[in-house]
Amino acid sequence: MKKRFLAFALCLTLALSLAACGDGGPADALPAPDAATPSPTPEPTPRPSESGLVLAVVSPDEATLELLSLCGQAGLEVTVREYDNIGAMLADVADDFPPDMFYLPALGEYDERIAQLCLDLTGYLESDSEYSQALLPGLRQALNHGGSLPYIAYDFTMECFASSPDAGVLTVDGAMALASERGVELFPTYWNRTALTSFALPYMQAVYGGEEPSFDGGQFAALLDAIASRGDESGVGESLLEYMQLSPVAGVLSALDGEVGFGLAGLPGDDSAGGLFAAEHCFGILKTCSDPDGAWQYLRALLGTDAQGMSAQFPSTSAAFSARLAELVSSGGLSEAASAEIAELAANTHLLYAAEDYTGELIRAAVEAVAGGEMTSAEA
């Protein structure tokens, strides 16, 4: 009985299976896959809803937002688009989703890429009756990129050298001669890449730009010799120059106080009293901006007295820069003599520090070649 029941159940299952397949047989049971059927396209990430002009900023803090509120007094409709870094903004530009304008921290390696994307602000600045002559003259010259003004520095620091009390206030050229005469080190044992790049940048820019360097190549050779022949720390005596990033908040200004005896020394060259400007924050307008005139009306407020006074670094207008030095003196943070030295350094500085890796690599390769005896300093 059990066998008959199992046989009956098996037949019933087979009959139901055939009925389900239909008359067409097993081939009709499952349709053949269509190789030409495209994969579903993922939905694009929705872009944020923005109105008016779009301003790009990187990780703004409360101070930055307060600063930008001064720009809002222009009465324009502006949306602030926040980024984690400058690279993220450039990715949006590449994806045809650019902002109209920007307020960014130090550009560093992105300097040339940003400059290529920007409108030339020369016309806007020169035709502005209030701010045409506002920038420090040397800084205005330093911001020039091949005849164009792609962005304006809101504030800055300066790269320079400080001469020791024993050496007195020296130019780098004078320190080289004095170091040779005394048989002492020109620079301290620890020489970081940034300092080396900064020191030799004017020379490298000239040579690799096909121009005549602003100072004799023999001086650069002397620099290479001084670095390559330092030896270890035990063999290093006094140094005549200390590399500095000059900033009101860096805690280095106290070393410039008159009673201590430190002085500022510029880069080598015909105008050897100047250092390098390093833009801490900058603003500009992209070539794709929907309303460049409106963007300038918004950004120009960053050159105003109130906005410049909010900078923690050195402000970029002549009036605000002088006011900041006066504040430091009145608060006891700086002597009159040191204030005068900083003002003189700024007046004689007309180069912009840009952290381009290839420059540092070239200089380091030259130093290593001299140190290893592969070539003389003059050949390097």
Side-chain angles (χ1 to χ4, degrees):
M1 182 69 176
K2 185 183 287 189
K3 289 183 179 179
R4 281 188 197 151
F5 178 80
L6 291 175
F8 174 78
L10 183 60
C11 290
L12 179 61
T13 302
L14 181 59
L16 290 174
S17 299
L18 292 174
C21 292
D23 295 336
D28 289 336
L30 295 173
D34 185 357
T37 302
S39 301
T41 302
E43 291 293 326
T45 303
R47 297 294 193 181
S49 177
E50 297 172 324
S51 55
L53 290 168
V54 177
L55 172 72
V57 296
V58 170
S59 301
D61 55 16
E62 289 185 9
T64 298
L65 296 176
E66 183 181 355
L67 172 66
L68 295 176
S69 70
L70 299 178
C71 300
Q73 296 175 7
L76 296 168
E77 187 176 16
V78 173
T79 298
V80 174
R81 187 190 297 172
E82 298 182 12
Y83 291 98
D84 291 333
N85 52 62
I86 297 176
M89 187 197 82
L90 291 174
D92 267 0
V93 172
D95 288 341
D96 295 325
F97 188 60
D100 293 293
M101 52 187 174
F102 60 80
Y103 173 79
L104 299 175
L107 300 180
E109 63 186 283
Y110 297 110
D111 182 89
E112 287 300 327
R113 291 175 63 185
I114 294 291
Q116 292 170 6
L117 297 172
C118 293
L119 285 175
D120 182 2
L121 299 180
T122 303
Y124 284 109
L125 184 63
E126 292 182 350
S127 62
D128 193 304
S129 59
E130 187 172 1
Y131 299 129
S132 60
Q133 303 298 318
L135 291 177
L136 284 165
L139 178 62
R140 170 64 184 88
Q141 182 179 348
L143 291 170
N144 179 67
H145 285 60
S148 173
L149 179 65
Y151 59 80
I152 294 175
Y154 164 69
D155 56 5
F156 65 91
T157 58
M158 284 184 283
E159 311 267 334
C160 61
F161 292 96
S163 59
S164 69
D166 181 56
V169 180
L170 295 172
T171 63
V172 173
D173 296 355
M176 282 183 174
L178 187 58
S180 176
E181 175 186 321
R182 294 185 180 180
V184 299
E185 291 294 325
L186 178 62
F187 303 108
T189 301
Y190 176 70
W191 180 278
N192 63 36
R193 178 174 171 181
T194 301
L196 178 56
T197 302
S198 297
F199 180 83
L201 190 61
Y203 177 86
M204 304 302 289
Q205 284 178 329
V207 171
Y208 288 90
E211 305 170 5
E212 287 296 322
S214 61
F215 60 97
D216 191 289
Q219 294 182 349
F220 184 65
L223 167 66
L224 292 177
D225 281 336
I227 297 170
S229 62
R230 287 177 310 181
D232 57 25
E233 290 189 21
S234 61
V236 175
E238 68 170 301
S239 61
L240 299 181
L241 296 177
E242 297 284 344
Y243 175 77
M244 299 181 68
Q245 182 183 43
L246 203 59
S247 162
V249 297
V252 298
L253 295 186
S254 59
L256 301 177
D257 192 275
E259 64 181 14
V260 176
F262 275 82
L264 297 181
L267 299 171
D270 297 332
D271 184 9
S272 59
L276 294 169
F277 288 116
E280 288 296 303
H281 296 87
C282 61
F283 58 90
I285 303 171
L286 271 65
K287 293 176 181 177
T288 51
C289 178
S290 58
D291 180 12
D293 292 346
W296 173 253
Q297 289 304 312
Y298 179 86
L299 292 172
R300 67 187 291 277
L302 294 171
L303 296 176
T305 302
D306 291 342
Q308 286 284 291
M310 294 174 66
S311 169
Q313 303 293 350
F314 289 122
S316 61
T317 65
S318 297
F321 178 70
S322 297
R324 177 59 51 81
L325 290 180
E327 290 171 7
L328 290 168
V329 171
S330 64
S331 66
L334 200 63
S335 68
E336 289 279 2
S339 173
E341 285 193 35
I342 294 173
E344 183 179 1
L345 178 74
N348 288 309
T349 297
H350 51 80
L351 294 169
L352 188 69
Y353 174 68
E356 296 189 13
D357 284 344
Y358 80 90
T359 307
E361 291 295 340
L362 288 171
I363 298 172
R364 185 168 64 177
V367 171
E368 290 175 350
V370 173
E374 300 170 19
M375 62 176 69
T376 65
S377 56
E379 291 172 337

